[in-house]
């Protein structure tokens, strides 16, 4: 089995118990499992004390601007108290700030700081350094295929965010 709890049986049932029997369903399951595994493997040992959830949180804030803790939790698929802990740690480290939500004074908007952006970019650079030698060793046709795959994944991610 490739990745324990994250592995989907490409020819059997998905995590909901529904049959994953069409080519599109099998491809979707494979992209999710392999994409997650690739991201974990590539970032192994480069987080410098921050969790991958913390790095993804910084990435969401970089991409979409200030967000409430509840929205960050929803995007990561974790409980709001867990995200509050992540944000508290990032705030203590000076990587995010909280300001009052102008629409609801009881809530706060979390934004990434310049230090947070610097940490995120350093994390991405360290992660890319793990993968670069492997990509460089590939034939040019495979590198071109990965370039196109990255473009398609970006498009699919944007469509999923919009839904």
């Amino acid at each position: 089995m490739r990745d324990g709890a994250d592995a989907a049986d490409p020819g059997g049932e998905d995590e909901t118990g529904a049959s994953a029997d069409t080519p599109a369903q099998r491809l979707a399951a494979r992209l999710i499992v392999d994409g997650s595994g690739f991201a974990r493997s590539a970032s192994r040992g480069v987080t410098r004390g921050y969790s991958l959830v913390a790095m993804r949180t910084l990435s969401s804030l970089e991409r979409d601007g200030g967000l409430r803790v509840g929205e960050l939790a929803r995007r990561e698929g974790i409980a709001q108290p867990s995200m509050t802990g992540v944000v508290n740690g990032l705030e203590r480290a000076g990587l995010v700030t909280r300001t009052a939500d102008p629409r609801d004074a009881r809530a706060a908007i979390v934004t990434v700081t310049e230090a947070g952006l610097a940490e995120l970019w350093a994390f991405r650079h360290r992660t890319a350094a793990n993968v670069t030698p492997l990509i460089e060793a590939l034939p040019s046709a495979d590198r071109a295929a990965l370039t196109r795959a990255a473009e398609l994944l970006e498009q699919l991610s944007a469509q999923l965010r919009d839904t």
Side-chain angles (χ1 to χ4, degrees), residues 46-50 55 58 90 95 113-126:
V46 301
T47 59
R48 292 194 338 194
Y50 299 105
M55 293 294 105
L58 292 176
L90 291 171
L95 305 182
T113 64
E114 289 299 318
L117 290 174
E119 182 59 39
L120 178 61
W121 281 100
F123 165 76
R124 289 174 177 163
H125 180 76
R126 292 186 307 270

Side-chain angles (χ1 to χ4, degrees), residues 114-154:
E114 289 299 318
L117 290 174
E119 182 59 39
L120 178 61
W121 281 100
F123 165 76
R124 289 174 177 163
H125 180 76
R126 292 186 307 270
T127 303
N130 279 347
V131 178
T132 299
L134 301 172
I135 292 173
E136 288 173 338
L138 292 172
S140 62
D142 287 349
R143 288 194 307 274
L146 285 176
T147 298
R148 181 64 182 135
E151 293 166 355
L152 291 169
L153 286 172
E154 184 178 7

Side-chain angles (χ1 to χ4, degrees), residues 10-144:
E13 294 182 347
D14 66 15
E15 66 280 353
T16 66
S19 177
D21 56 3
T22 70
Q25 289 170 320
R26 287 191 299 273
L27 178 58
R30 187 169 175 198
L31 286 170
I32 292 164
V33 171
D34 293 343
S36 294
F38 176 79
R40 277 192 303 277
S41 295
S43 61
R44 189 173 293 127
V46 301
T47 59
R48 292 194 338 194
Y50 299 105
S51 69
L52 291 178
V53 170
M55 293 294 105
R56 287 193 308 263
T57 298
L58 292 176
S59 184
S60 288
L61 295 170
E62 173 200 38
R63 182 184 56 247
D64 299 325
L67 297 167
R68 292 169 80 164
V69 171
E71 175 59 18
L72 289 166
R74 186 191 67 75
R75 289 176 181 212
E76 285 300 317
I78 63 174
Q80 188 164 338
S82 297
M83 181 54 75
T84 297
V86 170
V87 170
N88 287 345
L90 291 171
E91 187 175 36
R92 278 192 302 275
L95 305 182
V96 300
T97 59
R98 290 184 226 219
T99 56
D101 184 338
R103 295 172 297 172
D104 182 353
R106 297 168 297 170
I109 299 292
V110 181
T111 56
V112 65
T113 64
E114 289 299 318
L117 290 174
E119 182 59 39
L120 178 61
W121 281 100
F123 165 76
R124 289 174 177 163
H125 180 76
R126 292 186 307 270
T127 303
N130 279 347
V131 178
T132 299
L134 301 172
I135 292 173
E136 288 173 338
L138 292 172
S140 62
D142 287 349
R143 288 194 307 274

